Amino acid sequence: MDIAKQNYPGGFYKLLRQLERRETPFQAPLSALPPVDVVLTDLFTPLPNPASTSPSLDDLPDHHIAHKWQALRAEFAGAPEIWALHALCIAILRRRDPPQEARIWTEHGAELAADLPIRWLISAAATFADHGETIEQRLGGQGLQMLFHLIKLHDSERRLSGRPLDRGLPRIKGKELDDLGFGMSPYHLPHGDLDRHMLARLWRICENDLVLRPLGMKMLRMVMEDPRSIFGRIQRYKAPRKS
C-alpha cells in the first residue's frame, strides 16, 4: 500500500500511537474519588460555582487526577455533583489500568440516563464497551458508541450541504450514480431492512442487561424520535409496509 495515498497519513500505526497517548493513566486516580461506601444520593445536589480563585495545582504533574477533577467541577458547576463524579469515573476508566472503584451506573443508571447531556451518554457507552462486566454491557456499549459516532460523522459532513438535517437530499433522475466504497451494493432505501435490524438487535442487547438498560433505552429512543439524523431522513424514501 502506498503510504502517501492512505486516508490517514501514517496508517494504523500512527492512529494507535495517538490513542495510546490518550490512554496514559492518571496519577493518584483514587485521591479524587469519594469513599467506596459513599451514599450516592447525597451527590445529587448542585455543585457550587467555582470560586474566583481555584487552588493552585502547579506543583502537581500534568497527569495528576486533580487537574481533571478541577476542570470537571468547573464544567458541571450548577449541575448535580454526581454528573461530575460520573465524568471523572469515565475519564479514569478510559485510561490504562483503571481502579475498579469507579462505577456508579448500577445504583443510579435511570437518573443519569434521564438527564445527562448526550456527550456524556456517549462517553458512558464507550466506557461500558471497554469495562462492562457482562457480554451485553460490552456489546451494547460498543454498539451504542459506534452508532452515535457514525451518525455524528455522517451528519456533520451532510450538514455542509446547508440543507436542514430533517430533510432528505433531492433525488437525481437520469444521472448515473457513483459506486459505494469497497465494492458494496447500495442499500435499497424503499424496502431494505438494514436500519431496522441494526436498531432492533442493539435494543435487544441493551434490554437484556439491567445495568446497561437505562442508557441503551435512552439513546435508542433518541434515534427513534429525532428526525435530524440519517435514521430519520431515510424514512422519506421508505415504501409503506403492510401491518
Side-chain angles (χ1 to χ4, degrees):
M1 178 183 293
D2 187 344
I3 295 179
K5 294 182 179 180
Q6 294 188 47
N7 290 330
Y8 296 90
F12 282 100
Y13 173 78
K14 188 170 183 179
L15 294 181
L16 287 169
R17 290 294 301 274
Q18 292 172 342
L19 178 62
E20 288 167 358
R21 285 196 294 271
R22 289 289 301 273
E23 292 175 341
T24 300
F26 290 109
Q27 292 190 14
L30 293 180
S31 65
L33 292 175
V36 293
D37 59 351
V38 65
V39 179
L40 292 177
T41 52
D42 294 343
L43 302 181
F44 278 88
T45 55
L47 275 171
N49 290 324
S52 56
T53 57
S54 300
S56 175
L57 303 178
D58 292 342
D59 294 336
L60 296 177
D62 291 342
H63 282 93
H64 196 282
I65 193 63
H67 293 286
K68 187 66 175 180
W69 184 224
Q70 186 179 81
L72 289 172
R73 290 181 65 86
E75 177 179 345
F76 287 101
E81 183 177 355
I82 199 167
W83 288 16
L85 177 61
H86 172 254
L88 182 70
C89 290
I90 287 176
I92 293 171
L93 286 168
R94 298 284 290 276
R95 304 299 177 104
R96 291 190 299 275
D97 304 320
Q100 294 303 305
E101 287 84 349
R103 299 182 184 278
I104 58 176
W105 275 88
T106 300
E107 295 184 30
H108 292 286
E111 295 93 329
L112 292 171
D115 297 315
L116 275 175
I118 182 60
R119 169 192 171 189
W120 291 105
L121 293 177
I122 297 172
S123 293
T127 308
F128 270 113
D130 292 336
H131 300 284
E133 296 180 338
T134 67
I135 187 63
E136 287 83 7
Q137 289 176 19
R138 290 177 179 267
L139 287 176
Q142 182 65 53
L144 292 168
Q145 173 192 216
M146 187 71 71
L147 175 68
F148 274 77
H149 282 177
L150 288 177
I151 289 174
K152 186 172 184 177
L153 282 172
H154 178 277
D155 290 355
S156 293
E157 185 200 29
R158 202 270 191 190
R159 179 172 174 265
L160 296 178
S161 70
R163 297 179 180 274
L165 290 180
D166 61 351
R167 302 179 192 175
L169 294 172
R171 306 187 191 198
I172 301 176
K173 296 183 179 179
K175 184 176 180 180
E176 185 176 353
L177 301 180
D178 200 3
D179 294 332
L180 299 186
F182 322 119
M184 290 191 296
S185 300
Y187 175 54
H188 194 277
L189 287 168
H191 297 287
D193 283 326
L194 173 64
D195 53 321
R196 294 185 176 96
H197 291 170
M198 182 192 313
L199 296 176
R201 289 191 180 101
L202 193 48
W203 179 277
R204 184 167 59 190
I205 290 171
C206 296
E207 192 175 36
N208 287 338
D209 187 274
L210 291 176
V211 178
L212 180 65
R213 183 185 297 171
L215 177 66
M217 301 297 97
K218 172 64 179 288
M219 296 180 73
L220 289 172
R221 286 193 178 104
M222 293 171 72
V223 175
M224 183 65 70
E225 296 168 3
D226 196 324
R228 293 170 296 175
S229 79
I230 178 63
F231 289 93
R233 288 192 301 275
I234 62 174
Q235 302 311 313
R236 72 190 295 266
Y237 302 101
K238 296 288 187 183
R241 295 173 69 89
K242 295 180 180 180
S243 57

